[in-house]
Each structure stands twice: as C-alpha cells, then as structure tokens.
Amino acid sequence: MGCVLSGWGWPRRTSVDHVAPEPLLPTLDLSLQQRQLLLESWRLIQQDIAKVGVILFIRLFETHPECKDVFFLFRDVDDLHGLANSKDLRAHGLRVLSFVEKSVARIDNSAQLEDLALELGRSHYRYKAPPKYYQYVGTEFISAVSPILKDKWAPELENGWKNLFAYICAVMERGYKEEENRMASSKSSTPKLPHEGQALAV
Ligand code: HEM
C-alpha cells in the first residue's frame, strides 16, 4: 500500500557517504497496485480527454485567477464559462493531457519521466509560469476525472494520481530553477560592450 505522503516530492539523496551535500532529487513512489490503477483509469479518462482538459482549466482559472493572468490567450477573458467552447482552451488542455498521458506511459521508467518533466519545467520558466502554481493542476485534474470514473474512483487511485502529480511538479520546479539559474549566469557572464559602464572619451 502506498501512503499519501510517500510520493509528495519527498526528496532522496543521489548517493550516500558524501562529504559535500548532494543535490536532492524528487522520487516517484507508486506501489504496484497504484501503477496498475493509474494505467487502468487512464484508459477511461482518455475517452473524455478533451472535456477533461477544458474542465480542468476552467476550474483552475476560477479557483486561481492569478494562473489565468499567465496565459496571453486567456488573461483578458472574463466569461470563464464561455471558454467551454474555446478552440484555444481545448487545444491547450489537450497539450497538457498529452503530457499526462506520456507520464503515465513512463511510470516504470523514472529516468525518462524525469527528463520529460525537467524539460517542461524549463519551458515554464520561459512562459513565466512559476512553480508555486503547479500543484493546483493536479488538484483540478483529480476533481475533473473523479466524476468520470464514478464507482471506480477509490482512495488508492486518488493517492496514485496525487503522488504522480507531486512528483511531476517537484521535477518541473527543478527544471524551472535550472533554467532560471542558467539565464542568470548567462546574463552575468555576457561580456560588456566597450562603451558600457565607461565615460565616453572625448
Ligand atoms: C502540473 C502542472 C503543469 C503541467 C503538466 C503543464 C503542462 C504544459 C504543457 C504540456 C504545455 C505545452 C507546451 C510545452 O510542452 O512546453 C504547457 C504550456 C504552458 N503552460 Fe503549463 N503545465 C502545468 C502548469 C502550468 C501552470 C500552473 C501555468 C500557469 C500558471 C502554466 C502555464 C503555461 C503556459 C503560459 C504555457 C504556454 C501556453 C501557450 O502555448 O501559449 N502551466 N503546459
């Protein structure tokens, strides 16, 4: 049995017996049963994938309007329920759920899943979407899919989805920070133009 807290991005050390502290990596802790439940539930969720994406984002924007402001396409939309027919929201929801699909397909290959989520975190730095908001997506995903699964929804399945999203969010955060640091160091190491910071010689 997996416990609720087991996969909530709790870090592990990359190796032991090191004098210098090693970077901490998030771990994906899913029991065998949770893995099976996730795969089975995904087959059902997939049938309503476009609907789930739209519901997820309308709920996200309702509960956390600050997330809507990050999206160039949606920041000026006031009528959230009008978004139910938006082709742009449908397309965005499908992109996000395709990522969830790829993640579920990689639950037994944590190295591949990590690469995928790291890259996504890096791209979110470029989108100016900060990590403090990522966890809301998992919460709204669960609210959107639980009614679809009806009596198949169970605490063990819910914990499986929570653990998977917690892991994705933790790795995305890492990717975001890596990109942030990379940009900061590339700015500080950019050579100054000859005239910068100097009085012009007359
Ligand atoms: C678990 C959390 C999240 C996942 C899995 C996720 C996934 C994705 C994916 C797959 C894309 C498509 C582009 C790409 O692959 O780089 C994307 C784009 C984007 N995401 Fe996220 N996202 C998450 C959270 C958020 C949050 C919370 C925000 C806003 C606060 C956000 C803002 C954006 C923006 C602005 C784009 C670019 C949209 C465009 O195409 O114009 N994301 N996201």
Side-chain angles (χ1 to χ4, degrees):
M1 284 281 257
C3 101
V4 188
L5 290 174
S6 57
W8 278 87
W10 263 184
R12 70 176 154 86
R13 290 197 179 275
T14 46
S15 65
V16 283
D17 299 336
H18 254 269
V19 180
E22 281 285 302
L24 299 172
L25 297 173
T27 49
L28 174 62
D29 290 327
L30 288 175
S31 65
L32 189 61
Q33 189 200 8
Q34 284 173 328
R35 283 166 206 258
Q36 282 164 350
L37 288 171
L38 286 184
L39 286 164
E40 278 166 26
S41 68
W42 181 256
R43 276 180 225 121
L44 296 171
I45 295 165
Q46 208 175 23
Q47 294 167 16
D48 281 312
I49 190 168
K51 188 172 109 186
V52 171
V54 170
I55 294 174
L56 188 166
F57 275 94
I58 292 179
R59 287 187 55 104
L60 178 70
F61 295 161
E62 257 171 5
T63 50
H64 300 283
E66 65 278 23
C67 290
K68 183 166 74 80
D69 296 339
V70 177
F71 288 86
F72 176 76
L73 282 170
F74 310 121
R75 64 173 62 136
D76 297 324
V77 175
D78 293 324
D79 171 22
L80 287 182
H81 289 275
L83 278 178
N85 299 315
S86 155
K87 283 193 181 141
D88 288 329
L89 190 66
R90 185 187 153 94
H92 183 70
L94 281 173
R95 277 199 292 274
V96 174
L97 289 190
S98 303
F99 178 85
V100 176
E101 180 166 40
K102 285 187 204 155
S103 304
V104 172
R106 286 162 180 74
I107 49 177
D108 290 322
N109 188 335
S110 54
Q112 274 189 11
L113 179 53
E114 187 176 277
D115 287 349
L116 201 70
L118 266 179
E119 191 46 47
L120 191 66
R122 291 187 196 111
S123 63
H124 279 67
Y125 175 77
R126 298 190 288 274
Y127 304 146
K128 299 185 170 49
K132 63 181 174 187
Y133 301 140
Y134 301 163
Q135 57 176 314
Y136 306 145
V137 173
T139 308
E140 299 310 338
F141 173 85
I142 287 172
S143 301
V145 300
S146 51
I148 293 174
L149 285 153
K150 299 184 186 125
D151 56 342
K152 292 202 169 55
W153 192 254
E156 196 58 5
L157 174 61
E158 180 163 333
N159 289 338
W161 281 113
K162 280 183 178 168
N163 291 353
L164 179 61
F165 270 97
Y167 174 77
I168 291 171
C169 295
V171 180
M172 280 178 72
E173 176 165 0
R174 219 181 142 91
Y176 179 100
K177 289 190 173 146
E178 274 180 21
E179 189 65 5
E180 186 175 43
N181 292 338
R182 197 180 67 79
M183 292 307 288
S185 62
S186 76
K187 264 185 207 151
S188 64
S189 63
T190 307
K192 285 205 160 63
L193 293 171
H195 65 273
E196 275 182 346
Q198 291 172 11
L200 278 179
V202 188

